[in-house]
Amino acid sequence: MATFRIHPAIGIARIGNSPEGFYIASDQGGQLPIRCDGSGNPILDAEGNEVGVTDFKDAEHRILRQAARFRVFVYDDKSPDGREVLIGDQVDIVNKRNGQLLTVQVDDIQWTAYLANKKSSWYTFDETQGEHGYTADHALRNADITNSEERQRLIIDPGPRSVSFKGAPHAVFDNRSAGPTSFPPDLTPHSITSLGELRCTQQAKANRLLVLGGFGNSGSMLGGFGNPKIEAYANNDGWFDDTSDGPVSARFVGTVVAIDGNPVTPGDPGPMPASIDPAWVIVGYPRYVPQALDVVTMDDLLFDIAVRQFGYVPYLYGVLPYDGAAKVPQDAAGLKIWRGLAKWNPAFRPYFGRDILPILMRPLDAQNFIDKDPLTGGNPHNSNPHGNFDFNDLSVPLFDGEPEADRKRRYDMRQFLYGVLRKAGQENDLFAPASPSKPGSRLFAMPLLCGDNPISNVAPSKFFRLTDTMLFLLKQWADGLFIDESKEDIIPPPLVAGAGAALDRGALAAGLGGAFCPGAEAGWIMRNLAIYSGPYRIHPSRTVTQGELSQPADASLEEGLEPGDLTKYSAVPWQSDFNECTNQPIDVTYREWNSIAPENTGDPVASMAQLTYWWPVHRPVYFGSLPWSPTSVTNSGDLAMVTAWASLRFFLRIEDKNGNDTNSFQFEASDTPAS
């Protein structure tokens, strides 16, 4: 029986202050976004390939928005790994009302999306508090507003919008809706009158949806002396911004050509009762280094959840005999039993180019955007011959006849790199255990990046670590249990088959997977198993009522997510946290505390701090020896960033004359600061 899904399962759109210009999010990690015309049709080269964006601003130096692009896939006997549904295709749909099998010719697709912003009505962000539920007395944002109707107006709620290519192909998330809408009053410096728009495109019979977000408008409704003002990195009463998130659904508009296999006279086209797994869209701020991947991406995070919680790759993590074709239970009770029995497969062999090299390369990109010499005393990633990042050695697995001296050198090099990686339970450790190959060594544990809570003493998590799946793959590699596909002349298959799965992963590769304090596109809510109905797929609420989106006391993950439920945990306005997430002095005096009071009697120890960066390819700090942003890391700098974000410059990767990556970047050639 055919099933239908929207891909990507979660798409990322990005704000921009250009009133008309936009581009399309890349379908692959580390690639440039896609150029398109004013209608949203991608620009193609002579070979028919989509052309990447190299100008991220319009002629007036205003930042282009990024559209998230969605498609509908069918999974059936003909295409068990899925294929995109094209206009004119015939698909089989079961009519759940009477059990009839309808063969439908697809004439159009009706898309619906619903964006909202709940930040100003939500609980205050307080590091990791609330990740596993809020206490009854946890503070609210804008707590002085107690009237229930006024608190409802703290939610930016334009209601849902629908488009179809043959009907109305364009719709705006503004206050013009058949149902009740809610937008903030006039704000300073920028009011919010829209959360974005929908565009339906059709090219080569592919009917697709583009979701565009807001224009980067943030402002305060508070007046009087000293306003507007920003007083904190995450919680600022009176403020609103136009980031958002929400569900994306679809229905076929088609013609019934057969019932139970018997041809019929074609009926009038109309919406078909197909069950199509919905998707979700997150609207975040611009990605200023679009070709660089974070040390842990949003895809890494969700892939880890999918592997360990949903049996996404049973041969990697599953139940004996680790059969890749083994059926993983789909119901909650069966999954619970499966999770209790599943383990890592010691026979799994990662591919060096597919699974290992991308992880090892990410720190090399990050070094472009930090002041690494004061931090580390030099380049910690030595790529010279026999250096710790010599890929000529790191890519060689164990093999028969390998000279013992070479084997030992390569083994020690791999074990050294794996040994300095921070493991589970070591989030508060600055230093890695001593390396057997370098006895007496005292090396920083890696990655040397801020964790989820390097600030307060409630559940400190000072430093960052890789996901469990990433660490398992690297452990297999460190032990020599891997394959170098380039030497074996192998083109490895993807870990998960199908173009739809590739879209799910590629769409999130440019998203931040941590640390979350509160994060970038979304925060630690993304690692909460309760929000998912399956791998990568958000569980949506079935009882959403426009104008009555839930307030904090009534919110329930068990009932599914409403529009605005992913981004409501984030900073308001987003520019305040973005401005401050440069580096952080982390108190390392004691493992269990982030801050101490040495002036108090009984603890005369002087406080020791380690300067640590947050996520430098997501929010560059330096380029060369100069700060990337002109704003100071202060509350006044946060306020300046409310407008300065639109003048920040984008980066492009530099390639050599042969088209090879040089691990270096340059400013976009035409990107000059806005006047």
Side-chain angles (χ1 to χ4, degrees):
M1 183 180 299
T3 58
F4 305 92
R5 297 175 193 150
I6 299 175
H7 292 288
I10 303 174
I12 296 180
R14 299 190 184 277
I15 61 172
N17 65 332
S18 177
E20 300 293 338
F22 62 95
Y23 52 82
I24 301 171
S26 174
D27 297 331
Q28 302 178 59
Q31 302 299 310
L32 288 169
I34 301 160
R35 287 180 57 197
C36 63
D37 61 24
S39 298
N41 299 305
I43 304 299
L44 307 179
D45 63 17
E47 286 74 39
N49 300 310
E50 295 178 335
V51 175
V53 174
T54 55
D55 297 318
F56 291 86
K57 296 185 178 181
D58 64 18
E60 303 298 323
H61 306 298
R62 297 168 299 193
I63 293 179
L64 306 178
R65 288 182 291 169
Q66 174 176 292
R69 180 170 60 177
F70 295 91
R71 329 171 191 213
V72 175
F73 274 61
V74 58
Y75 294 80
D76 55 17
D77 292 339
K78 179 181 176 182
S79 303
D81 292 330
R83 71 182 188 278
E84 184 174 5
V85 176
L86 302 179
I87 300 304
D89 282 355
Q90 293 188 2
V91 296
D92 291 332
I93 299 172
V94 174
N95 189 333
K96 293 183 178 180
R97 290 176 295 181
N98 54 25
Q100 289 180 325
L101 181 66
L102 307 178
T103 300
V104 176
Q105 176 180 293
V106 178
D107 300 318
D108 202 354
I109 297 176
Q110 182 187 78
W111 299 90
T112 300
Y114 191 164
L115 296 179
N117 179 310
K118 291 184 173 183
K119 289 183 180 181
S120 298
S121 72
W122 191 239
Y123 294 106
T124 58
F125 179 81
D126 198 358
E127 287 76 61
T128 52
Q129 292 187 57
E131 181 171 5
H132 302 293
Y134 290 93
T135 60
D137 61 348
H138 193 95
L140 295 172
R141 289 170 174 162
N142 295 292
D144 59 328
I145 298 177
T146 57
N147 179 276
S148 60
E149 292 186 5
E150 291 181 356
R151 287 209 64 83
Q152 199 66 36
R153 294 182 60 196
L154 292 172
I155 298 176
I156 305 177
D157 179 5
R161 296 292 187 274
S162 296
V163 292
S164 62
F165 185 75
K166 293 182 178 179
H170 180 235
V172 179
F173 288 101
D174 56 17
N175 62 0
R176 290 172 289 184
S177 171
T181 63
S182 176
F183 277 86
D186 290 343
L187 305 175
T188 304
H190 299 299
S191 294
I192 298 170
T193 59
S194 167
L195 287 184
E197 60 192 279
L198 301 182
R199 292 178 181 268
C200 189
T201 69
Q202 185 172 310
Q203 192 170 30
K205 296 186 178 181
N207 184 311
R208 296 167 178 172
L209 175 71
L210 299 182
V211 181
L212 288 84
F215 296 94
N217 292 326
S218 299
S220 172
M221 65 180 178
L222 301 181
F225 183 75
N227 283 302
K229 61 184 176 182
I230 288 181
E231 300 179 295
Y233 75 94
N235 307 299
N236 291 283
D237 286 353
W239 279 84
F240 298 82
D241 66 39
D242 62 359
T243 60
S244 62
D245 69 276
V248 176
S249 60
R251 300 180 70 182
F252 293 129
V253 177
T255 305
V256 177
V257 297
I259 298 177
D260 294 331
N262 300 311
V264 297
T265 302
D268 293 332
M272 294 292 113
S275 177
I276 302 176
D277 284 350
W280 208 268
V281 63
I282 301 173
V283 179
Y285 55 71
R287 180 83 190 202
Y288 293 93
V289 195
Q291 294 162 286
L293 300 182
D294 294 294
V295 169
V296 174
T297 68
M298 187 71 78
D299 170 55
D300 292 325
L301 175 65
L302 269 67
F303 185 72
D304 179 67
I305 294 171
V307 165
R308 295 189 298 110
Q309 303 296 339
F310 291 103
Y312 200 42
V313 189
Y315 183 63
L316 171 61
Y317 185 88
V319 178
L320 284 170
Y322 298 105
D323 182 358
K327 184 173 178 60
V328 178
Q330 298 302 306
D331 63 291
L335 270 173
K336 185 175 182 179
I337 296 171
W338 180 90
R339 289 167 185 153
L341 298 174
K343 294 180 173 60
W344 296 110
N345 179 8
F348 183 86
R349 298 292 184 268
Y351 286 94
F352 182 78
R354 184 190 68 184
D355 304 319
I356 304 302
L357 183 60
I359 301 175
L360 298 181
M361 293 296 290
R362 294 178 193 177
L364 302 181
D365 282 349
Q367 289 178 172
N368 288 276
F369 306 107
I370 64 174
D371 189 3
K372 62 179 180 292
D373 287 336
L375 180 67
T376 64
N379 183 351
H381 307 109
N382 183 356
S383 56
N384 295 319
H386 303 325
N388 63 336
F389 265 64
D390 179 2
F391 294 115
N392 291 322
D393 276 334
L394 295 179
S395 63
V396 180
L398 301 175
F399 65 90
D400 292 338
E402 182 181 13
E404 186 59 34
D406 290 342
R407 173 173 290 202
K408 183 178 187 307
R409 182 184 74 252
R410 292 164 180 154
Y411 178 84
D412 287 348
M413 190 183 301
R414 295 192 304 268
Q415 292 293 328
F416 168 74
L417 288 177
Y418 178 75
V420 298
L421 293 175
R422 190 172 284 105
K423 314 302 190 302
Q426 298 176 356
E427 289 84 356
N428 292 332
D429 295 341
L430 175 61
F431 296 105
S435 171
S437 62
K438 295 186 178 182
S441 61
R442 190 161 173 78
L443 302 168
F444 289 134
M446 292 291 168
L448 186 56
L449 296 172
C450 294
D452 291 321
N453 182 15
I455 301 172
S456 77
N457 286 334
V458 179
S461 180
K462 302 185 181 189
F463 300 103
F464 192 49
R465 74 171 179 91
L466 305 185
T467 69
D468 288 351
T469 300
M470 297 168 81
L471 287 170
F472 171 76
L473 295 172
L474 289 167
K475 181 62 167 66
Q476 294 296 92
W477 164 77
D479 291 342
L481 306 176
F482 68 101
I483 300 167
D484 180 8
E485 62 267 48
S486 67
K487 301 293 192 301
E488 303 290 341
D489 196 24
I490 295 173
I491 299 177
L495 278 167
V496 182
L503 291 173
D504 292 346
R505 300 201 63 185
L508 294 181
L512 181 72
F516 295 134
C517 189
E521 294 85 5
W524 38 245
I525 187 62
M526 298 303 295
R527 62 187 180 212
N528 191 323
L529 183 61
I531 72 172
Y532 298 101
S533 60
Y536 286 79
R537 211 155 285 271
I538 300 295
H539 171 47
S541 172
R542 303 295 183 185
T543 58
V544 174
T545 301
Q546 180 180 346
E548 299 180 14
L549 298 181
S550 64
Q551 291 290 329
D554 302 319
S556 171
L557 295 182
E558 184 178 0
E559 298 298 324
L561 267 61
E562 296 180 346
D565 274 355
L566 290 182
T567 52
K568 67 186 180 184
Y569 301 87
S570 301
V572 57
W574 67 266
Q575 291 97 335
S576 56
D577 181 56
F578 176 83
N579 184 62
E580 295 198 28
C581 279
T582 55
N583 49 43
Q584 180 82 31
I586 299 178
D587 196 312
V588 293
T589 313
Y590 297 116
R591 192 177 189 278
E592 297 84 3
W593 292 281
N594 274 316
S595 59
I596 64 171
E599 69 279 5
N600 289 350
T601 301
D603 195 359
V605 178
S607 178
M608 297 179 290
Q610 172 64 43
L611 185 67
T612 310
Y613 284 84
W614 283 98
W615 355 275
V617 302
H618 212 95
R619 196 289 190 198
V621 183
Y622 291 95
F623 187 59
S625 60
L626 299 176
W628 170 64
S629 167
T631 57
S632 61
V633 186
T634 62
N635 290 153
S636 61
D638 300 346
L639 182 60
M641 185 59 78
V642 169
T643 54
W645 70 273
S647 64
L648 296 174
R649 303 184 68 183
F650 286 74
F651 296 90
L652 295 175
R653 189 180 292 282
I654 299 174
E655 297 180 346
D656 64 21
K657 61 182 181 181
N658 296 318
N660 298 314
D661 180 15
T662 63
N663 296 120
S664 57
F665 294 82
Q666 63 187 1
F667 284 124
E668 175 197 338
S670 63
D671 181 5
T672 57
S675 57

